[in-house]
Amino acid sequence: MAIAMIVLGIMWCAAAMAAAWKGSQLARIPHDRGLQIVTTCTVLVLAALTAQLVVALPGTHFPRQTPVLIEFILLNFFFVLLLGLLRTTGGRFDISRRPFLADLGLAIAAGAILVITFVITDPSSSSANYGDYTEASGPAGVLVFHLVGNLFMAYATACGAYLAWTAARHALAHTRKGLRVAAVGLAIACLGNHVPRVVAETGRLTIDAPILPATATWTPGLLAAGVALFFLGVGYPGARTAIVKIRLWVQAKRRYQELRPLWEILYREFPTIALLPGRSPRRDWFTVRRMRMRYYRRVIECRDGLVCLSPYMSVSVLSTHTPAEQAALVRVAIERRADATAPTHPTIIAPPQEPGMEGDTRAIIALSRAL
């Protein structure tokens, strides 16, 4: 029981993270049709797993049978949307409505059989329960209930695995990896959970003995692995983008702080260079939002301040001067300005060694470190 709860918890967490991630993307791009379908799919899976979690939680007074029915029906329509989305991915796929309507018809038929079986079967008469899958006991109605549910899941996961793997051929590199991982996850769920359960339940109904023994014991682990891989594949492109964004944010944050010594000196001498209101060092340290914008503005402010200070340099700055030597010249220039020394011919302070903004930024950061 404890292992089953852990497995279910892992699946629920994976579904919750995927739903939250896709929901945040949809909030930024609300009119993306494909993203709408993907988000709906993840929410349906989360709802289905939540229903299963309600069944498994100890001490709950919620009827144990109803959430299992809800879970199967939600997953049916999840796979209808998923298969429809995968069929419209890539130029070689069928974009007609016939496959979608066929899948929808199968889902509705399976759902109707589940509801009818659920209504006419009373599992309590033999101490069985819809929430406790088993191939070894229980009335025929409960076995039929799980047989129909797993049969549709086997069909849906098999089709999903094939379509996801095929769609990967026409996708971009990072999306291709995600689709293939998702396809492997669906294949594991199909061959490791749904197909064995269909075989076991068929044997129980026909010859009164499960053909595959103990499927209730070893299939949940494979199902959890398949679900985890599926959501890993779905979330891989977005996670890869998030990692790149985090790396760029960390780089901008580090350089932003490295520029502060130079910026403080220049801002004290030339307050008009500030494009944003000045902040205390502590508040500056905890700044999180719009980091790259703040970093580039600080680079511009530092360069503007150096241009304002350049007429007070005692000697022209050469490319051979080290950052430490330039820092000493900057201190002398600040003293000359404080002494009201007449400006001389301006020079370039912190001349870049490489063309482009990156070279200019590196030269300014090197000077700031020397200060």
Side-chain angles (χ1 to χ4, degrees), residues 109-150:
I113 295 174
L114 290 173
V115 171
I116 294 172
T117 307
F118 179 86
V119 170
I120 65 177
T121 303
D122 181 14
S124 60
S125 60
S126 59
S127 301
N129 199 299
Y130 285 106
D132 300 325
Y133 162 77
T134 176
E135 77 289 346
S137 63
V142 174
L143 296 176
V144 170
F145 179 86
H146 284 285
L147 173 62
V148 173
N150 282 288

Side-chain angles (χ1 to χ4, degrees), residues 99-366:
F100 173 79
L101 293 177
D103 292 335
L104 182 61
L106 286 175
I108 293 174
I113 295 174
L114 290 173
V115 171
I116 294 172
T117 307
F118 179 86
V119 170
I120 65 177
T121 303
D122 181 14
S124 60
S125 60
S126 59
S127 301
N129 199 299
Y130 285 106
D132 300 325
Y133 162 77
T134 176
E135 77 289 346
S137 63
V142 174
L143 296 176
V144 170
F145 179 86
H146 284 285
L147 173 62
V148 173
N150 282 288
L151 188 61
F152 182 83
M153 288 295 105
Y155 160 76
T157 50
C159 289
Y162 169 75
L163 292 173
W165 190 271
T166 308
R169 301 174 186 172
H170 311 285
L172 298 176
H174 61 281
T175 306
R176 184 184 308 121
K177 292 180 181 178
L179 285 171
R180 286 180 175 171
V181 171
V184 171
L186 290 173
I188 292 175
C190 176
L191 299 177
N193 181 77
H194 299 302
V195 170
R197 290 189 175 190
V198 168
V199 172
E201 289 155 350
T202 301
R204 181 72 175 83
L205 286 168
T206 55
I207 62 175
D208 199 28
I211 300 175
L212 293 177
T215 53
T217 303
W218 56 267
T219 56
L222 293 173
L223 176 62
V227 171
L229 279 176
F230 171 74
F231 279 110
L232 178 64
V234 171
Y236 173 77
R240 185 175 181 272
T241 302
I243 291 172
V244 172
K245 287 184 177 180
I246 291 172
R247 181 177 60 82
L248 292 176
W249 183 91
V250 171
Q251 182 186 65
K253 180 72 172 179
R254 184 182 69 251
R255 291 185 172 185
Y256 180 77
Q257 294 299 329
E258 289 176 339
L259 287 170
R260 186 167 186 88
L262 175 61
W263 180 85
E264 284 182 333
I265 293 174
L266 296 174
Y267 177 69
R268 186 170 59 247
E269 297 296 323
F270 310 101
T272 57
I273 66 171
L275 298 173
L276 293 173
R279 293 186 170 198
S280 65
R282 178 174 297 181
R283 187 180 177 188
D284 222 14
W285 178 260
F286 289 103
T287 299
V288 175
R289 298 181 59 192
R290 301 185 296 176
M291 201 64 247
R292 289 183 62 80
M293 181 272 291
R294 293 182 181 277
Y295 159 60
Y296 286 123
R297 285 197 172 186
R298 177 157 287 186
V299 171
I300 295 171
E301 291 170 353
C302 288
R303 178 53 72 188
D304 288 346
L306 291 176
V307 170
C308 295
L309 185 64
S310 64
Y312 298 96
M313 299 291 286
S314 57
V315 296
S316 297
V317 178
L318 304 177
S319 59
T320 55
H321 284 151
T322 64
E325 293 171 338
Q326 293 184 51
L329 292 175
V330 166
R331 294 189 183 96
V332 172
I334 291 174
E335 293 175 357
R336 286 165 58 86
R337 182 175 183 275
D339 296 336
T341 303
T344 59
H345 185 71
T347 183
I348 299 177
I349 307 174
Q353 303 295 321
E354 303 172 3
M357 183 175 181
E358 186 65 22
D360 190 35
T361 303
R362 289 178 181 174
I364 296 174
I365 290 176

